[in-house]
């Protein structure tokens, strides 16, 4: 449509030029103006972590961007206040979204209540200072300059007024996305996250209003390393959210001023990373480096629910300086991808080394040739691996806690009761050899019938107990005839 | 290291036309902005400077006797739309502009006119820098981290607070008050503080193209509190005003070259 109308326009001008005085052709010759871009569009800017919607344009346009600088006092951590210098009232500053080829009329406003002069350097701008040379603005004033977005990419912008490190260190940075001509593929969520290091006179989490510490900044020893200007910006109620089965795209920047970021999402893998915010992507990335004054785009899809933690994997920054954000994913479990904890069982290390005899005994039992001696031997190995943890290797139990098996009058009185106990557990008060125990024995039903039969045979043939022989069939019958308590296996 | 030699400070008499003006200098001084690439020292002749910034009450008196500088009569060439906008009327302070607060929202042209009427002029940048380098006990305290920290504390506070009256802070070594920590102040030669709009280009060969005075480079990048004041002044144009921008007057010492 646009092509057709411009052809008609040019045709009309040429026709007019043939008819009218020569100076008209000069007019039509100078038509490389923004008029051919159509009416100006006012860019939609968003506060983090939101991202403006795609431009959905198939052609360049004239775009007007109005960005206001505010110096504001906000919390950097619970009870810790800091005077941030901001673009748009937030750290990072407002997200700017334009398209490659756009002509941008940029208005930078310095609120009259601010104290400092400021300017802006946009990494997506080709020109002196990235715009900083043309946007130096005193409080209560506004500067305008115009640039053309020559290259696609995700670009950092920041203030470049002396001393630059202090302006950046106070939070004056943000991201500008220059979409490729074909736009980005649609995803379910786009999020805006930007890391920064902060330097305060007080220690980490020292309460009160904290001033900027220039010496710490020069020494590159930050007090806080945070996402989006605060320890609490993306946790709790402010966590990012998504559902299982969605595609997520994070525009992640690093304002610095000093640190490089090792960006990682715990429990997720980036399907694609446009490293350094460029045109090519790497696939299947765990952790990506984002330079100071740089950015990247990370895409991944959610498969299982949970809280996925965004960190700078220089890990003391995450846990001792605040570089931590949460993505909360809701939805149904997918146990084939991630099961959660299945078993928590005892591991005895080298106590369990002698289980070879168990496999020999199993072979004999299958052939129907199982002897008492083999059962006792197998039971001994298995007892050491499981029962001895509580009842002790010598069957003495633990005074006041676990009853003894050695010379146990409970076992002697009712040998068959042992089958019930090992299958279904035992809790509540019980008297053994004159002493009362009130503990919980969990069911051992995760062991199979052969193993349990061998253990019981071993126990009754040890430490002065009268020998009883138990068979796998007896275990099988009792197992089928009784109900396991909730949570027990088999 | 800074080399600073105050000479016979107290022997100089105050100018007859001055109100509360205090003598400073002469001094051989290492400024933050060098006047020329190879010249690191500057000689500042003896001068007199106001003890405090000019107040709302003083400027009101000036406006009443010089009605051309009323906000409803001043040409827009000499003052922008915010000139004295915090006063209730063109010749009345009203409740939100206290008499003893420093007058702000005045342009460079208006400040110069006031000082001329008061028998003086605006201080030059180097004069202002010499006077403000002092703390309570030293003539040049710029290497003191405490001196820097006090200034940075003021920079770090957001600017929306009401201004306290002049003279609330203790006097410095010379007896001058409020050079730091209250308001920004005009100087006579603010427009030759040619810091490039992009302050990362110091040392850039292109700087000579900026103007005959040449772009100046900061000698001492660690003295960034002063650098920030220079940055603020270099962002201004003469007719502009600012919510926190005021001034004080100075004058030459008679008979001293």
């Amino acid at each position: 449509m646009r092509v057709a109308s411009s052809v008609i326009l040019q045709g009309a001008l040429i026709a007019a030029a043939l008819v009218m005085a020569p100076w008209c052709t000069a007019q039509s010759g100078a038509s490389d103006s923004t008029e051919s871009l159509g009416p100006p569009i006012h860019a939609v800017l968003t506060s983090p972590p939101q991202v403006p919607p795609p431009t959905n344009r198939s052609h360049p346009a004239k775009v007007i961007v109005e960005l206001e600088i505010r110096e504001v006092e906000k919390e950097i951590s619970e009870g810790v206040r800091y005077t941030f210098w901001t673009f748009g009232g937030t750290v990072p500053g407002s997200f700017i979204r334009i398209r490659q080829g756009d002509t941008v009329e940029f208005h930078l406003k310095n609120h009259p209540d601010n104290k400092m002069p400021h300017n802006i350097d946009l990494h997506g701008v080709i020109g002196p200072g990235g715009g900083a040379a043309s946007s130096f603005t005193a409080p209560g004033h506004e500067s305008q300059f115009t640039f053309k977005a020559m290259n696609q990419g995700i670009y950092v912008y920041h203030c470049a007024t002396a001393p630059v490190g202090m302006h950046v260190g106070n939070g004056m940075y943000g991201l500008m996305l220059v979409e490729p001509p074909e736009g980005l593929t649609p995803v379910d969520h786009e999020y805006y996250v930007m890391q920064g290091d902060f330097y305060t006179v007080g220690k980490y989490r020292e309460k009160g209003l904290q001033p900027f510490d220039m010496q710490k900044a020069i020494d590159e020893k930050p007090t806080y390393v945070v996402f989006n200007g605060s320890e609490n910006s993306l946790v709790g109620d402010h966590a990012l959210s998504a559902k299982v089965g969605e595609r997520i795209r994070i525009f992640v920047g690093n304002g610095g001023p000093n640190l490089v970021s090792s960006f990682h999402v715990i429990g997720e893998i980036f399907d694609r990373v446009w490293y350094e915010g460029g045109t090519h992507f790497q696939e299947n990335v765990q952790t990506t480096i984002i330079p100071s004054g740089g950015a990247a785009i990370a895409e991944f899809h959610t498969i299982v629910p949970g809280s996925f933690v965004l960190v700078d994997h220089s890990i003391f920054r995450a846990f001792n300086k605040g570089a931590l954000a949460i993505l909360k994913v809701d939805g149904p479990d997918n146990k084939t991808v991630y099961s959660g904890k299945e078993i928590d069982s005892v591991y005895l290390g080298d106590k369990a080394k002698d289980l070879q005899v168990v496999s020999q005994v199993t072979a004999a039992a299958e052939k129907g040739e199982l002897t008492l001696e083999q059962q006792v031997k197998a039971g001994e190995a298995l007892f050491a691996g499981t029962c001895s943890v509580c009842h002790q290797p010598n069957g003495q139990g633990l005074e006041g806690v676990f009853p003894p098996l050695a010379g146990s009058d409970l076992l002697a009185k009712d040998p068959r009761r042992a089958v019930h106990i090992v299958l279904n557990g035992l809790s509540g008060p019980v008297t053994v050899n004159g002493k009362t125990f009130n503990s919980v024995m969990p069911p051992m039903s995760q062991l199979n019938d052969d193993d349990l039969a061998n253990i019981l045979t071993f126990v009754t043939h040890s430490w002065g107990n009268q020998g009883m022989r138990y068979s796998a069939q007896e275990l099988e019958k009792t197992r089928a005839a009784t109900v396991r308590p909730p949570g027990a296996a088999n | 290291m800074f080399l600073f030699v105050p000479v016979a400070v107290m022997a100089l008499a105050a100018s007859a036309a001055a109100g509360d003006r205090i003598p400073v200098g002469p001094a051989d001084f290492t400024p933050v902005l060098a006047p020329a690439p190879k010249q690191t020292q500057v000689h500042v002749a003896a001068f007199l400077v106001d003890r405090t910034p000019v107040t709302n009450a003083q400027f009101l008196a000036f406006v009443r006797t010089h009605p051309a500088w009323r906000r409803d009569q001043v040409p827009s060439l000499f003052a922008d739309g915010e000139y004295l906008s915090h006063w209730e009327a063109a010749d009345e302070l009203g409740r939100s502009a206290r008499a003893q607060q420093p007058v702000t929202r005045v342009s460079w042209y208006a400040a110069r006119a006031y000082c001329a009427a008061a028998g003086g002029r605006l201080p030059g940048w180097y004069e202002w820098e010499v006077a403000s380098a002092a703390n309570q006990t030293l003539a040049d305290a710029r290497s003191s981290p405490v001196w820097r920290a006090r200034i940075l504390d003021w920079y770090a506070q957001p600017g929306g607070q009401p201004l306290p009256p002049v003279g609330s802070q203790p006097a410095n070594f010379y007896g001058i008050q409020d050079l730091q920590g209250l308001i920004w102040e005009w100087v006579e030669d603010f427009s030759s503080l040619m810091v490039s709009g992009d302050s990362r280009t110091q040392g850039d060969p292109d700087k000579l193209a900026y103007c005959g005075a040449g772009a100046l480079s900061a000698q001492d990048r660690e003295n960034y509190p002063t650098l920030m004041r220079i940055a603020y002044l270099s962002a201004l144009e003469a007719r502009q005003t600012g919510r926190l921008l005021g001034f004080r007057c100075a004058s030459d010492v008679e008979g001293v070259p």
Side-chain angles (χ1 to χ4, degrees):
Chain A
M1 287 296 139
R2 194 154 297 282
V3 172
S5 67
S6 74
V7 165
I8 292 169
L9 182 63
Q10 285 175 19
L13 284 169
I14 290 166
L18 291 171
V19 170
M20 293 161 77
W23 53 265
C24 284
T25 43
Q27 257 187 333
S28 68
S31 63
D32 181 27
S33 65
T34 53
E35 282 141 31
S36 56
L37 293 172
I41 299 171
H42 285 265
V44 170
L45 308 184
T46 56
S47 296
Q50 304 308 326
V51 176
T55 61
N56 277 335
R57 271 187 283 120
S58 55
H59 53 87
K62 168 108 181 250
V63 179
I64 297 178
V65 172
E66 302 194 55
L67 193 53
E68 184 195 48
I69 298 171
R70 301 292 314 246
E71 296 167 10
V72 289
E73 193 185 291
K74 294 209 285 193
E75 277 207 343
I76 189 170
S77 178
E78 182 98 19
V80 184
R81 303 191 66 78
Y82 188 85
T83 302
F84 294 96
W85 297 345
T86 73
F87 290 102
T90 57
V91 176
S94 309
F95 194 104
I96 304 171
R97 186 166 191 154
I98 58 175
R99 182 188 179 275
Q100 184 176 10
D102 281 349
T103 296
V104 178
E105 182 185 288
F106 200 97
H107 297 251
L108 188 67
K109 307 166 189 226
N110 194 345
H111 195 276
D113 281 351
N114 293 341
K115 203 169 265 172
M116 292 288 146
H118 298 287
N119 60 11
I120 191 168
D121 167 3
L122 300 112
H123 288 185
V125 169
I126 294 182
S134 317
S135 57
F136 198 26
T137 314
H141 293 276
E142 175 179 335
S143 293
Q144 177 189 315
F145 68 98
T146 300
F147 68 89
K148 186 164 179 180
M150 305 299 293
N151 296 54
Q152 58 181 270
I154 177 79
Y155 295 103
V156 170
Y157 67 76
H158 62 87
C159 180
T161 302
V164 184
M166 182 176 181
H167 284 250
V168 175
N170 281 343
M172 293 196 85
Y173 43 77
L175 288 184
M176 177 174 78
L177 173 67
V178 183
E179 291 177 342
E182 68 275 12
L184 301 178
T185 53
V187 294
D188 296 293
H189 294 284
E190 286 180 323
Y191 283 121
Y192 173 26
V193 173
M194 196 154 187
Q195 181 174 325
D197 22 298
F198 290 89
Y199 302 82
T200 62
V201 169
K203 292 203 198 22
Y204 176 66
R205 289 192 176 163
E206 193 176 306
K207 308 274 183 251
L209 177 65
Q210 290 294 337
F212 171 76
D213 189 328
M214 180 61 119
Q215 195 54 52
K216 286 184 189 168
I218 290 172
D219 294 338
E220 300 191 29
K221 293 199 157 94
T223 325
Y224 295 90
V225 182
V226 292
F227 294 113
N228 292 10
S230 158
E231 276 205 80
N232 308 315
S233 60
L234 296 171
V235 301
D237 291 337
H238 305 294
L240 305 177
S241 64
K243 296 209 196 34
V244 164
E246 292 190 318
R247 289 200 62 82
I248 317 286
R249 174 182 293 140
I250 304 186
F251 298 101
V252 52
N254 182 7
N258 288 322
L259 269 42
V260 167
S261 175
S262 304
F263 183 66
H264 173 82
V265 179
I266 302 178
E268 266 293 351
I269 300 168
F270 302 131
D271 296 319
R272 290 181 175 185
V273 173
W274 282 261
Y275 45 91
E276 297 170 11
T279 308
H280 299 289
F281 54 85
Q282 178 59 284
E283 295 180 272
N284 302 319
V285 175
Q286 67 197 279
T287 303
T288 187
I289 287 206
I290 308 178
S292 178
I297 306 178
E299 272 184 24
F300 56 96
H301 64 291
T302 56
I303 310 178
V304 299
S307 284
F308 298 87
V309 187
L310 287 65
V311 295
D312 180 339
H313 215 290
S314 290
I315 211 71
F316 276 90
R317 298 176 195 173
F319 298 116
N320 296 78
K321 294 195 171 83
L324 205 139
I326 308 269
L327 168 68
K328 188 133 184 1
V329 177
D330 289 316
D333 285 324
N334 187 336
K335 297 279 189 190
T336 57
V337 171
Y338 186 80
S339 70
K341 187 178 259 198
E342 288 167 325
I343 297 178
D344 187 344
S345 54
V346 173
Y347 175 68
L348 293 169
D350 61 358
K351 264 201 202 173
K353 62 184 170 212
D354 215 357
L355 289 177
Q356 225 189 6
V357 59
V358 177
S359 37
Q360 288 166 357
V361 161
T362 315
E366 272 164 14
K367 284 204 230 138
E369 292 162 1
L370 186 64
T371 67
L372 175 64
E373 204 187 331
Q374 282 171 327
Q375 268 197 295
V376 169
K377 263 230 176 73
E380 186 178 5
L382 290 160
F383 181 90
T386 308
C387 321
S388 68
V389 181
C390 299
H391 292 289
Q392 303 309 307
N394 54 9
Q396 295 295 334
L398 210 54
E399 176 116 16
V401 186
F402 304 123
L405 301 173
S408 160
D409 57 2
L410 186 143
L411 277 180
K413 219 182 322 174
D414 183 0
R416 306 266 72 92
R417 190 176 173 195
V419 177
H420 218 273
I421 293 176
V422 294
L423 276 174
N424 300 315
L426 181 64
S427 59
V430 68
T431 308
V432 179
N433 296 353
K435 298 224 174 70
T436 310
F437 299 85
N438 194 346
S439 197
V440 176
M441 170 166 165
M444 292 292 135
S445 52
Q446 72 275 17
L447 299 172
N448 62 38
D449 300 325
D450 293 274
D451 288 348
L452 285 173
N454 295 341
I455 289 172
L456 290 173
T457 307
F458 160 75
V459 165
T460 57
H461 280 84
S462 305
W463 318 304
N465 291 333
Q466 79 287 33
M468 292 293 310
R469 205 163 169 192
Y470 297 82
S471 69
Q473 286 77 21
E474 182 179 359
L475 264 296
E476 188 186 348
K477 260 217 325 251
T478 314
R479 194 190 289 266
T482 58
V483 178
R484 232 64 54 231
N490 294 341
Chain B
M1 296 303 292
F2 303 118
L3 184 62
F4 186 72
V5 183
V7 174
V9 168
M10 289 322 194
L12 299 164
S15 155
D20 205 356
R21 288 219 184 120
I22 296 184
V24 177
D28 291 305
F29 182 70
T30 306
V32 166
L33 279 194
K38 290 284 182 345
Q39 183 185 346
T40 57
Q41 283 238 311
V42 160
H43 178 78
V44 176
F47 64 101
L48 300 159
V49 67
D50 286 349
R51 185 175 57 84
T52 64
V54 173
T55 63
N56 275 323
Q58 289 171 315
F59 203 80
L60 178 65
F62 164 73
V63 157
R64 284 186 174 149
T65 53
H66 297 75
W69 289 100
R70 286 164 56 111
R71 73 182 187 204
D72 54 359
Q73 295 201 17
V74 68
S76 63
L77 185 64
F78 292 146
D80 67 17
E82 287 298 305
Y83 175 64
L84 296 177
S85 61
H86 58 303
W87 286 9
E88 188 161 301
D91 60 356
E92 283 298 330
L93 292 183
R95 293 226 326 265
S96 57
R98 304 272 147 157
Q100 288 311 305
Q101 283 176 322
V103 67
T104 58
R105 292 201 174 90
V106 287
S107 67
W108 179 77
Y109 293 109
R112 289 180 92 225
Y114 175 97
C115 289
R121 53 171 175 77
L122 284 173
W125 166 253
Y126 287 141
E127 291 176 331
W128 199 94
E129 200 179 348
V130 165
S132 72
N135 65 4
Q136 287 177 259
T137 50
L138 292 174
D140 187 355
R142 289 178 296 169
S143 51
S144 155
V146 176
W147 179 88
R148 289 185 200 171
R150 269 200 64 228
I151 299 171
L152 292 172
D153 275 348
W154 183 66
Y155 291 169
Q157 292 156 33
Q161 311 300 324
L163 290 169
V166 303
S168 325
Q169 301 183 65
N172 71 4
F173 174 79
Y174 299 108
I176 307 172
Q177 292 169 288
D178 299 329
L179 286 160
Q180 308 277 12
L182 183 59
I183 50 170
W184 303 109
E185 294 184 20
W186 283 112
V187 294
E188 173 72 15
D189 52 351
F190 80 96
S191 62
S192 63
L193 296 171
M194 284 297 288
V195 176
S196 153
D198 181 340
S199 49
R200 300 161 298 176
T201 60
Q202 308 300 323
D204 185 323
D206 249 349
K207 70 187 180 193
L208 294 171
Y210 276 100
C211 105
L216 302 173
S217 284
Q219 292 199 87
D220 180 9
R221 284 193 171 76
E222 284 216 337
N223 204 328
Y224 63 100
T226 307
L227 203 56
M228 291 165 82
R229 187 169 281 268
I230 294 169
Y232 179 86
L233 288 171
S234 64
L236 297 171
E237 288 173 20
R239 65 180 285 274
Q240 284 179 353
T241 63
R243 196 188 155 272
L244 294 169
L245 176 59
F247 70 102
R248 71 182 71 210
C249 298
S251 56
D252 298 331
V253 173
E254 281 160 19
V256 176

